[in-house]
Every structure is written in C-alpha cells, then in structure tokens.
Amino acid sequence: MPGILPMKVIKVGVNAQTRIAQACDRCRSKKIRCDGVRPCCSQCSNVGFECKTSDKLSRRAFPRGYTESLEERVRSLESEVRELKDLLDEKDEKIDMLSRIHSQSSYPIQLPSPRRPSVTPQDSATSKDEPDPDETFKVQQSPYLLGEGTDSYFAGTSSGRTFIEAFKIKVAESGRSKSDINTELLLASSLRRRLSDALSTPATPVVWKAPPRMVSDQLINIFFQEWAPMFPVLHKPTFLTLYEKYVADPDSVADKAEIAQLNLVFGVAALSSGTRASEDLSSFESQWKSALDTIINENCMATLQALILAQLYAIQLGDLTRLLTYKGLATSLSARLGLHQSQKRFALGTLTCETRKKVFWSLYTVDCFTSVILGLPKHIKNDDVHCEYPVDADDEYVTERGFQPTLPGESTRVSSALALFKAARILSKVLEEVFPAKASYDLSLKKLSELSDELDSWQSSLAPHLRLQF
C-alpha cells in the first residue's frame, strides 16, 4: 500500500540520501530501483505483480568502518595462528628429542603429539577394553657409571646427567662442538673438588675454639633466617641458650653433640653466605667432624640432629660421598628412634613430640631432594611413614606442657617448613613413579598428569605469604 514506509532505510553520503536495505525479488532481478513500500512496492504495484522478498535481512545496516574492523580481526587471528604454530613446532621438537634419548629402548616410544588425528568413535569403541598405546611409553635408564674400575659408582636418571647428555646431543645437532662446553661445572662432584682444594690442610690436631662474637652472631642470624624456617631441626630457644653459654665460656660446653651442632650451624651458614672465609670454615669443619665421630654410635636425638645438619653441609659443599654416609646413618637412626611411627602412640611431652615430628620431616625432605641429586632410591619409603605433620606453631610457643597462645591471623615461620614437607611428599611420588630403581619401565602419561595436578593443587593451597607473584 502506498504511503507505508519501508522497513529498513540506509542513509547514503553527506546529502542525507536514503535507500532501502533490501529490494524485493522482482526489482532485484530486473535491477531497477525499489522503493521498499510494504506490502507491495510501487514497481510491482504498477504492473500488478505480487511483491515478494525472500531472504529478508534480519540484521541492522553495517556501521562505518565495519569492513576495516573485520580485516583487523582477521590479521589478529592470523597472528595468533602463527604463534600457536610456533608453539606446536617447539613441542614436536621436544618430543623428538625425548624419542632420541630413549632410542635404546627395545620398544618404540610413542608420545602424544598435538598434530595427531583424533580417534574416531568407532576406534574408541573397539579399543575400550585395550589400553591406548599412547597412554604409556617405555623408559630405559642410561647406564652411567662414574669413575674408573672397581671404584665406579652409579648415578640414576634423576641426577641430571641424562639432561646434560640430552643437552650435548642438541648442541651437536646444531652444528656446534661439544668440547666448547664444560658440563662438568654443572655437577656437584666438580664443586667438591674445587672446594676441597681450597679447604685442604695438613692433618693437624683439632683446636677447639669459638669464632669471634661478631662472626658467630652473623652466622646464627643467617642460619635461623634462611635454613631453620625450611629445616626446623633445632629447637630455637634451646639452641640460643646453648649458644649464649658457648660464647660466654667455650670451655663450659663439653658435650660433643652440642659442639657438633654449634659448628655445623656455623658451617652451614658460612657456606651459604657470600663472604665465607676458608680459615673459619676449616675450623668449623674440623671441629664438627671430630665431635660427630665421637658421638656417631650414640642412638639419641642430638646425634640425629647433627647428622641432618651434616647432610645440609655436604649438599652445599658437593661432597656426595659424605652425604651418602650421613644419610644412611641418619635414616637408620631415625627408624631406631621410631620417628616414622605415629607420635600419638607415645606418652611424650608436647615439646618432645613436636621436636620429633620436625626432625623426622626435615630428614624425609632431605632424603627426597638428595635422592634427586644422587640419582639413587630414597631410604625412607612412603608405606613406612605414619608420623604426623608438626603443628603450625613456632618454637617460642611450644613447651612440654602444651602450646602457648599466639596472635590470631599472624603467619608463622614453621609454615614454610610445612609447605616444603608437603612438596617433598609429591616429590617422593615423582621419584617412585617417574624415576623408579629399574633398568626399564613403563611410564604412564596419565600418572604424570595426576602428579602435575597434585603439584598445582599444592601451589594453590599455599598461604598468601608463601606465594611468589610474577
């Protein structure tokens, strides 16, 4: 009907001219101007033709710059596709490198690639009862024996030597010479050789002496700020009382276990500080070694605490031989003292019970991390561990009678150790599942994913003051 405005009108140009957004079928086929009047345009009305409009527009007219915005979006999507392609290429290179590392395996390694075609429903139905070949792959440990002759010793895949060999292969493939890179500097054994040369002195009688008060105070602060929050082996108030007695009159401290603990604390702090003196370090080492040799056969908590501190010292020094010795003695003594058992079973005071928990979990954590360094099995098995975690309370608030009240909402120093203990439990599972003591084994990608999820869950559960924000 004439006079009824068209449904959609678009303004064209600066003169406010208008045209309809959709012509009828007849005007469009004749390529004549349609005024868009509904229900019948003027052109169709003049010839008595039924006016129809198929494929009606349901959208509004395009705004200015619409085409340019589409082009910009296309360019952005193309850029993202190129970045994803580079990531996929990098992942494929890593998968190929892993395949070459384990090429000695008697079974072909099949790792999942993001470029492999997806499984069809028919294939998934037929393979429902059969394990997916991509779910596991074969791993064969490289037979690394270090040293020569009968004195050679074994280093497993977690020791880092496998990664160093893979790095050498990658360097060779890039066309560079492997002789230009000294990978021995990355290993603890070379560190031990350099430090032993610096500390080596002729065998002389042990001189029992205390360091200058200014030096010892600095070392005590370093230890309780950097090491004690992660490895709460010593009860801080008890040790500080011993320290004050020692610096006031060194001759009044005659107990060899106490002397070993004091000099081990000095030594551990000296190694971790940037300004360590060889003379002081040699004095600390000679004193604690002599004292520890004296009490090594005593089955008591003080000996175990000294053995754990000695492991921390050996780790920093790179002395893997002594590390193995102290580790074996410590884990055996821990089992002898029943630290792996539930401490609720024993009628002990609160301070004694909490100290036993902290010492055990510090030893457990050291056992896990040193197993990674050495490439050897853990000494403490998870099935044997029934000891509870320590209570989240600092040493100053723990007595034999119970726990003293603390300020609500205040973070504790021992919370760092608790987080590390829980991370060590995950690391222990990784060592058992990913680096078992077998020459050849099947590694499940599903298990790797579960361990990764468990680690992510541990990270998300960290207290705010323990999280690193990047």
Side-chain angles (χ1 to χ4, degrees):
M1 292 173 45
I4 299 179
L5 295 177
M7 297 185 347
K8 296 181 184 285
V9 177
I10 300 177
K11 291 185 179 181
V12 180
V14 296
N15 296 327
Q17 297 180 356
T18 60
R19 65 177 179 82
I20 63 170
Q22 177 73 49
C24 68
D25 294 347
R26 180 174 179 276
C27 293
R28 185 167 53 183
S29 63
K30 295 285 187 180
K31 297 184 179 180
I32 57 178
R33 185 179 181 85
C34 180
D35 55 15
V37 177
R38 296 292 178 265
C40 184
C41 69
S42 301
Q43 299 288 353
C44 294
S45 178
N46 292 337
V47 297
F49 195 85
E50 182 180 4
C51 185
K52 291 183 178 180
T53 304
S54 59
D55 190 21
K56 295 183 179 180
L57 292 175
S58 58
R59 53 180 170 79
R60 298 179 180 177
F62 298 132
R64 290 180 180 272
Y66 182 74
T67 303
E68 289 79 3
S69 67
L70 287 179
E71 293 175 349
E72 180 64 28
R73 289 179 62 187
V74 169
R75 284 192 293 268
S76 176
L77 290 174
E78 289 176 345
S79 176
E80 291 182 6
V81 168
R82 284 193 295 269
E83 293 178 0
L84 290 175
K85 181 178 179 298
D86 293 339
L87 291 175
L88 291 176
D89 292 339
E90 181 181 355
K91 189 170 184 179
D92 285 344
E93 289 179 1
K94 293 179 179 179
I95 292 174
D96 293 338
M97 183 181 68
L98 286 174
S99 301
R100 286 192 294 270
I101 292 175
H102 303 288
S103 59
Q104 298 178 357
S105 174
S106 57
Y107 296 92
I109 301 174
Q110 293 182 336
L111 294 176
S113 173
R115 312 236 179 140
R116 292 184 180 175
S118 58
V119 181
T120 60
Q122 293 80 3
D123 295 337
S124 61
T126 56
S127 61
K128 185 176 296 183
D129 298 332
E130 299 178 1
D132 189 349
D134 287 342
E135 286 296 323
T136 60
F137 58 93
K138 202 77 173 178
V139 177
Q140 184 168 348
Q141 292 201 49
S142 301
Y144 289 124
L145 280 180
L146 309 179
E148 298 179 357
T150 58
D151 295 331
S152 301
Y153 60 93
F154 176 78
T157 53
S158 68
S159 64
R161 291 188 174 272
T162 300
F163 299 101
I164 291 178
E165 293 302 320
F167 174 72
K168 289 181 178 179
I169 294 174
K170 197 69 176 177
V171 169
E173 290 177 351
S174 64
R176 296 179 56 186
S177 173
K178 295 188 291 184
S179 60
D180 298 338
I181 303 175
N182 186 7
T183 56
E184 290 298 320
L185 297 176
L186 303 174
L187 303 174
S189 56
S190 60
L191 173 65
R192 170 59 184 167
R193 286 193 295 270
R194 296 198 305 274
L195 287 178
S196 13
D197 292 341
L199 298 176
S200 58
T201 55
T204 56
V206 177
V207 179
W208 305 97
K209 65 176 183 178
R213 180 63 186 261
M214 184 177 297
V215 175
S216 61
D217 284 349
Q218 181 184 9
L219 296 176
I220 290 293
N221 289 332
I222 291 174
F223 179 82
F224 281 101
Q225 287 178 5
E226 298 181 5
W227 290 93
M230 308 302 291
F231 301 97
V233 179
L234 302 172
H235 182 244
K236 184 177 180 180
T238 302
F239 183 82
L240 292 181
T241 302
L242 170 64
Y243 171 67
E244 291 296 335
K245 178 182 176 182
Y246 181 67
V247 295
D249 184 11
D251 295 334
S252 63
V253 180
D255 187 277
K256 296 301 182 183
E258 294 177 346
I259 294 176
Q261 292 179 9
L262 284 164
N263 284 278
L264 277 165
V265 168
F266 296 152
V268 169
L271 283 175
S272 62
S273 64
T275 57
R276 52 189 177 187
S278 297
E279 183 178 351
D280 289 337
L281 196 58
S282 298
S283 176
F284 300 148
E285 184 171 335
S286 62
Q287 292 185 71
W288 71 255
K289 281 183 178 180
S290 178
L292 185 57
D293 290 341
T294 305
I295 63 171
I296 202 70
N297 293 323
E298 297 182 8
N299 296 329
C300 61
M301 182 63 68
T303 302
L304 179 57
Q305 291 169 316
L307 287 171
I308 297 175
L309 293 173
Q311 291 180 71
L312 298 179
Y313 186 93
I315 291 172
Q316 291 192 87
L317 196 62
D319 190 348
L320 304 186
T321 302
R322 286 191 177 272
L323 173 61
L324 271 173
T325 302
Y326 296 140
K327 180 178 179 179
L329 292 170
T331 51
S332 299
L333 180 54
S334 172
R336 182 71 180 271
L337 297 175
L339 300 190
H340 62 291
Q341 297 290 340
S342 172
Q343 300 305 301
K344 296 179 181 179
R345 301 173 55 187
F346 310 121
L348 301 172
T350 302
L351 177 57
T352 302
C353 182
E354 290 301 309
T355 302
R356 287 167 63 91
K357 293 178 184 177
K358 292 174 182 177
V359 169
F360 172 77
W361 283 108
S362 297
L363 175 61
Y364 180 92
T365 303
V366 171
D367 181 33
C368 291
F369 283 96
T370 53
S371 294
V372 174
I373 296 173
L374 298 167
L376 298 176
K378 293 194 310 93
H379 288 194
I380 303 176
K381 304 303 180 184
N382 285 334
D383 293 340
D384 299 331
V385 176
H386 305 285
C387 180
E388 301 84 6
Y389 287 123
V391 176
D392 190 5
D394 288 330
D395 291 342
E396 294 82 357
Y397 302 99
V398 184
T399 64
E400 287 292 358
R401 296 183 177 181
F403 299 97
Q404 296 180 355
T406 60
L407 296 177
E410 184 175 314
S411 60
T412 61
R413 294 187 300 273
V414 77
S415 60
S416 303
L418 291 173
L420 183 61
F421 296 160
K422 295 174 182 178
R425 292 301 297 263
I426 302 176
L427 177 59
S428 178
K429 295 180 182 179
V430 172
L431 289 172
E432 292 180 354
E433 298 289 342
V434 184
F435 302 101
K438 300 178 181 178
S440 180
Y441 55 92
D442 292 328
L443 186 57
S444 169
L445 294 179
K446 181 180 179 182
K447 179 60 66 175
L448 289 177
S449 177
E450 291 175 355
L451 292 172
S452 177
D453 293 341
E454 191 171 353
L455 190 59
D456 291 338
S457 177
W458 168 84
Q459 184 181 18
S460 62
S461 65
L462 287 176
H465 69 281
L466 298 178
R467 297 181 182 178
L468 295 177
Q469 301 295 337
F470 297 102

